[in-house]
Amino acid sequence: MLINRRRVLEVAAALPIISVASSITTSAASAAAFDFSSIKTVKQFGAEVIGRADLSRAACEVALKKATRADAKEFAGFELKEAETVIAVLKELGTPLPPMGDAAKSALEHIAGSAAGTAFDTAYIGAEYENHAFLRDLAEAYLKNSDPSDPSEQHGRQLATVAHWAFWEHTALTQRIARELAA
């Protein structure tokens, strides 16, 4: 089944967010410990986003080769373009791309090391769900915490507004795919 945005939005509105893998629960706990109230500038926002976008980019490259579900593979193609775009825009804004940290390397190894089929699709989609839920909350926090009257934040706020929508949509898409994998 290919991605149908209208259906995804209907399902997302009707059902609560569920955890589909222990890695999501573990990552969600670490996200809960993140201090979103500290994100007040585009520099802080970009620094948090770029590393996660790079991890997603790498995971998508693996998923395009290993995913077996048509919707997971389709999502990986869309997500790869999103991640590449986000990284390019943030670099243009002066955000450096840091080397991948140990936690990101471990997450990527977990995804890449999962057996092809349902195990891989579940690991990949679960990681993308968690990542996008974090990024959605991060964008929302930046928009809430940054000063809309500060001219130096204008472009960052515009970027975060567009990114928030994309992160929200990708959270809903991965949530739907995860539910179908768990069924």
Side-chain angles (χ1 to χ4, degrees):
M1 177 166 116
L2 296 180
I3 295 169
N4 176 327
R5 286 184 178 190
R6 180 167 294 169
R7 181 69 184 133
V8 168
L9 296 176
E10 290 169 0
V11 170
L15 297 172
I17 294 174
I18 59 170
S19 293
V20 296
S22 61
S23 64
I24 293 175
T25 306
T26 303
S27 296
S30 64
F34 185 83
D35 181 11
F36 287 101
S37 68
S38 67
I39 305 299
K40 298 178 180 179
T41 67
V42 67
K43 186 174 181 173
Q44 293 168 322
F45 174 69
E48 292 297 327
V49 171
I50 199 165
R52 285 179 173 265
D54 190 43
L55 172 59
S56 188
R57 179 204 49 77
C60 290
E61 289 174 348
V62 174
L64 285 171
K65 296 173 187 157
K66 235 175 146 176
T68 56
R69 286 181 57 102
D71 53 1
K73 192 171 284 251
E74 181 183 46
F75 179 83
F78 291 148
E79 179 58 25
L80 177 60
K81 288 298 181 191
E82 177 195 26
E84 290 171 343
T85 301
V86 167
I87 291 167
V89 168
L90 288 172
K91 281 182 168 181
E92 285 180 24
L93 290 173
T95 305
L97 178 61
M100 197 174 284
D102 291 341
K105 285 179 187 175
S106 176
L108 183 58
E109 288 171 12
H110 172 72
I111 294 165
S114 295
T118 302
F120 176 83
D121 291 352
T122 299
Y124 167 68
I125 290 297
E128 287 295 336
Y129 167 81
E130 197 292 314
N131 196 37
H132 281 85
F134 178 91
L135 290 167
R136 175 201 61 207
D137 295 349
L138 181 72
E140 190 172 299
Y142 168 63
L143 290 168
K144 177 185 172 190
N145 300 332
S146 62
D147 181 358
S149 66
D150 183 346
S152 67
E153 294 301 320
Q154 179 183 8
H155 294 302
R157 290 179 55 79
Q158 291 166 342
L159 174 65
T161 299
V162 172
H164 182 258
W165 170 83
F167 298 152
W168 178 85
E169 178 186 47
H170 285 195
T171 300
L173 290 171
T174 54
Q175 180 184 34
R176 188 225 357 117
I177 296 168
R179 271 195 298 273
E180 290 175 7
L181 279 163

